[in-house]
């Protein structure tokens, strides 16, 4: 796969002046952002949001006729526009602007699959909009078959797919109810022979009551009514990590994990104790989120650090935490009845996730 550097580690850094060699020491071989470089380099996930009149990268009404309505906040009545104008600015460098033509050329003859919940749908939808804006005359097809959506650019022989799989591990219907099986991952059969895999899971692990899509949890041979959700999440991630170890050939398949996407339901995290994402029109200033680190992200980093195969963690959690203004809030599919502080308006934050993904493809 020519658009990836082949080596032991894929790190989320962009070299600014000269390329330095990363130091690798046995057990420290971690495929996450270690930032151990000798000279001038750039951690592309550390920075702040800056206002940029040249944004957004596309307009849904003009460049994205296939967008899911739940993400099209302007169509749903959102009147403010500043949230469309913020560009992610790393502290030590400037990101290369997204080049969809180049992206598709690098992807030519290959397939990329987002695997996860509706946040993966959010990112997949963003990428298809960004690509269509770049090559508006190129023919495309969009097909949905059950939980698998496939967007194809025949001219480039490139497929951009989304597989809905909220937990990565299996939820199985049995005579005694729906079972969340922490050590089973039959869904992985669909992921084989894909050139680029981008995984995501977290939000559905928190659901309770009517939104909870399982009745019991199975951990090995033991079934329980519930357990600490972070503990369950880590067990599920370890099953996924084992699948990667057994099934992924790094010379044929590149594996990414989308960092945990935060919600903004608790305004106390940024100094508005009675607030949430509704009515927010500006990001949190600076590069540190006052609400502190995300515990699920910490669990994810721990699990990925123990995988021997190369896995590139897109560390988007902090930069997304700063964007309390970027959610649909009352301008999603649920309106005022179902305030959405989890997903993201498009254009918006997932465009930056994809810009960072594109940057990771560059030599």
């Amino acid at each position: 796969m020519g658009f990836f550097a082949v080596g032991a580690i894929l790190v989320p850094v962009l070299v600014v002046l000269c390329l330095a060699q990363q130091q690798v020491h046995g057990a420290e071989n971690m495929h996450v952002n270690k930032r151990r470089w000798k000279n001038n380099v750039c951690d592309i996930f550390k920075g702040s949001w800056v206002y940029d009149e040249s944004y957004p990268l596309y307009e849904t009404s003009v460049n994205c006729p296939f967008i899911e309505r739940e993400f099209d906040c302007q169509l749903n009545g959102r009147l403010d526009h500043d949230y469309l104008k913020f560009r992610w600015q790393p502290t030590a460098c400037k990101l290369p602007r997204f080049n969809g033509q180049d992206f598709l050329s690098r992807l030519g003859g290959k397939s990329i699959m987002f695997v996860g919940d509706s946040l993966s749908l959010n990112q997949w939808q963003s990428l298809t909009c960004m690509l269509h804006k770049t090559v508006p005359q190129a023919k495309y097809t969009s097909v949905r078959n059950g939980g698998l959506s496939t967007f194809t650019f025949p001219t480039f022989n490139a497929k951009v797919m989304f597989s809905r799989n909220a937990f990565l591990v299996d939820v199985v219907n049995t005579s005694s109810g729906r079972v969340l099986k922490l050590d089973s991952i039959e869904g992985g059969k669909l992921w084989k022979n894909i050139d680029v895999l981008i995984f995501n899971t977290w939000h559905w692990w928190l659901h309770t009551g009517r939104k909870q899509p399982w009745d019991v949890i199975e951990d090995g041979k033991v079934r329980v009514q519930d357990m600490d959700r972070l503990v369950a999440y880590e067990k599920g991630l370890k099953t996924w990590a084992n699948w990667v170890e057994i099934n992924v050939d790094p010379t044929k398949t590149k594996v990414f994990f989308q960092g945990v996407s935060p919600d903004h339901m608790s305004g106390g995290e940024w100094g508005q104790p009675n607030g949430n994402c509704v009515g927010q029109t500006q990001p949190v200033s600076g590069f540190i989120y006052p609400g502190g680190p995300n515990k699920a992200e910490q669990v994810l980093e721990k699990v990925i650090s123990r995988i021997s195969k190369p896995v590139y963690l897109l560390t988007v959690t902090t930069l997304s935490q700063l964007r309390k203004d970027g959610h649909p809030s009352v301008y999603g599919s649920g309106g005022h009845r179902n305030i959405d502080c989890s997903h993201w308006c498009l254009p918006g934050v997932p465009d930056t996730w994809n810009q960072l993904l594109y940057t990771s493809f560059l030599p």
Side-chain angles (χ1 to χ4, degrees), residues 293-328:
N294 183 291
K295 292 182 179 180
E297 180 75 5
Q298 293 174 327
V299 168
L300 174 61
E301 289 185 5
K302 180 174 70 171
V303 171
I304 289 180
S305 72
R306 295 172 180 172
I307 300 176
S308 65
K309 301 284 180 72
V311 175
Y312 190 121
L313 177 61
L314 295 171
T315 317
V316 300
T317 302
T318 300
L319 68 88
S320 303
Q321 283 178 319
L322 298 174
R323 290 303 305 273
K324 59 184 174 62
D325 60 316
H327 299 284

Side-chain angles (χ1 to χ4, degrees), residues 224-359:
V224 295
Q225 290 298 121
D226 207 345
M227 69 168 61
D228 183 292
R229 299 305 176 86
L230 265 179
V231 172
Y233 177 62
E234 183 171 357
K235 288 176 179 288
L237 283 178
K238 287 179 177 178
T239 298
W240 163 81
N242 188 56
W243 182 91
V244 171
E245 296 280 26
I246 294 172
N247 293 283
V248 169
D249 179 349
T251 66
K252 298 179 180 178
T253 300
K254 303 305 175 185
V255 180
F256 293 78
F257 207 107
Q258 174 192 329
V260 173
S261 175
D263 64 49
H264 287 92
M265 288 299 297
S266 302
E269 293 184 358
W270 61 85
Q272 295 180 346
N274 297 318
N276 54 29
C277 72
V278 177
Q280 302 294 331
T281 60
Q282 297 291 315
V284 176
S285 60
F287 58 88
I288 298 175
Y289 185 63
N294 183 291
K295 292 182 179 180
E297 180 75 5
Q298 293 174 327
V299 168
L300 174 61
E301 289 185 5
K302 180 174 70 171
V303 171
I304 289 180
S305 72
R306 295 172 180 172
I307 300 176
S308 65
K309 301 284 180 72
V311 175
Y312 190 121
L313 177 61
L314 295 171
T315 317
V316 300
T317 302
T318 300
L319 68 88
S320 303
Q321 283 178 319
L322 298 174
R323 290 303 305 273
K324 59 184 174 62
D325 60 316
H327 299 284
S329 67
V330 298
Y331 303 106
S333 57
H336 289 269
R337 292 174 289 101
N338 189 13
I339 295 171
D340 187 352
C341 293
S342 296
H343 299 100
W344 302 93
C345 294
L346 295 179
V349 172
D351 303 335
T352 294
W353 301 347
N354 285 318
Q355 188 177 9
L356 294 165
L357 175 66
Y358 168 67
T359 301

Side-chain angles (χ1 to χ4, degrees), residues 96-340:
R97 197 167 179 92
F98 181 81
N99 185 329
Q101 182 94 32
D102 180 60
F103 186 103
L104 285 168
S105 296
R106 294 173 185 274
L107 193 62
K110 300 180 178 68
S111 55
I112 181 170
M113 179 183 284
F114 294 90
V115 183
D117 57 26
S118 52
L119 275 307
S120 289
L121 171 63
N122 218 170
Q123 186 176 5
W124 173 80
Q125 183 87 96
S126 160
L127 182 58
T128 56
C129 290
M130 293 167 74
L131 293 173
H132 182 59
K133 161 66 186 304
T134 305
V135 288
Q137 304 306 317
K139 292 182 178 180
Y140 68 86
T141 61
S142 184
V143 177
R144 181 176 296 176
N145 184 7
L148 180 65
S149 299
T150 304
F151 199 99
T152 305
F153 291 91
T155 303
F156 296 90
N157 191 24
K159 292 182 179 180
V160 183
M161 297 181 283
F162 163 62
S163 175
R164 187 180 291 275
N165 190 322
F167 297 97
L168 302 185
V169 293
D170 299 328
V171 177
V172 179
N173 290 315
T174 70
S175 58
S176 57
R178 302 163 299 175
V179 182
L180 174 60
K181 305 184 73 170
L182 299 181
D183 61 350
S184 176
I185 195 161
E186 289 298 310
K189 294 175 181 177
L190 185 64
W191 313 335
K192 293 183 178 181
N193 301 316
I194 301 296
D195 299 289
V196 183
L197 289 165
I198 305 164
F199 293 97
N200 155 62
T201 182
W202 170 237
H203 280 254
W204 279 87
W205 293 86
L206 296 174
H207 286 324
T208 59
R210 288 183 296 176
K211 289 188 175 182
Q212 178 180 296
W214 49 265
D215 301 304
V216 295
I217 298 176
E218 184 176 279
D219 181 17
K221 296 183 179 180
V222 178
R223 288 188 178 183
V224 295
Q225 290 298 121
D226 207 345
M227 69 168 61
D228 183 292
R229 299 305 176 86
L230 265 179
V231 172
Y233 177 62
E234 183 171 357
K235 288 176 179 288
L237 283 178
K238 287 179 177 178
T239 298
W240 163 81
N242 188 56
W243 182 91
V244 171
E245 296 280 26
I246 294 172
N247 293 283
V248 169
D249 179 349
T251 66
K252 298 179 180 178
T253 300
K254 303 305 175 185
V255 180
F256 293 78
F257 207 107
Q258 174 192 329
V260 173
S261 175
D263 64 49
H264 287 92
M265 288 299 297
S266 302
E269 293 184 358
W270 61 85
Q272 295 180 346
N274 297 318
N276 54 29
C277 72
V278 177
Q280 302 294 331
T281 60
Q282 297 291 315
V284 176
S285 60
F287 58 88
I288 298 175
Y289 185 63
N294 183 291
K295 292 182 179 180
E297 180 75 5
Q298 293 174 327
V299 168
L300 174 61
E301 289 185 5
K302 180 174 70 171
V303 171
I304 289 180
S305 72
R306 295 172 180 172
I307 300 176
S308 65
K309 301 284 180 72
V311 175
Y312 190 121
L313 177 61
L314 295 171
T315 317
V316 300
T317 302
T318 300
L319 68 88
S320 303
Q321 283 178 319
L322 298 174
R323 290 303 305 273
K324 59 184 174 62
D325 60 316
H327 299 284
S329 67
V330 298
Y331 303 106
S333 57
H336 289 269
R337 292 174 289 101
N338 189 13
I339 295 171
D340 187 352

Side-chain angles (χ1 to χ4, degrees), residues 60-121:
T60 54
S61 61
V62 177
N63 311 120
C64 196
F66 42 79
I67 189 172
E68 302 272 349
R69 177 150 187 167
E70 64 184 294
F71 305 137
D72 195 346
C73 299
Q74 293 289 303
L75 180 64
N76 293 330
R78 185 165 180 173
L79 298 178
D80 62 300
H81 292 84
D82 279 0
Y83 76 95
L84 298 168
K85 297 291 187 179
F86 285 97
R87 171 176 55 81
W88 178 246
Q89 175 61 63
T91 301
C93 63
K94 186 175 181 179
L95 287 177
R97 197 167 179 92
F98 181 81
N99 185 329
Q101 182 94 32
D102 180 60
F103 186 103
L104 285 168
S105 296
R106 294 173 185 274
L107 193 62
K110 300 180 178 68
S111 55
I112 181 170
M113 179 183 284
F114 294 90
V115 183
D117 57 26
S118 52
L119 275 307
S120 289
L121 171 63

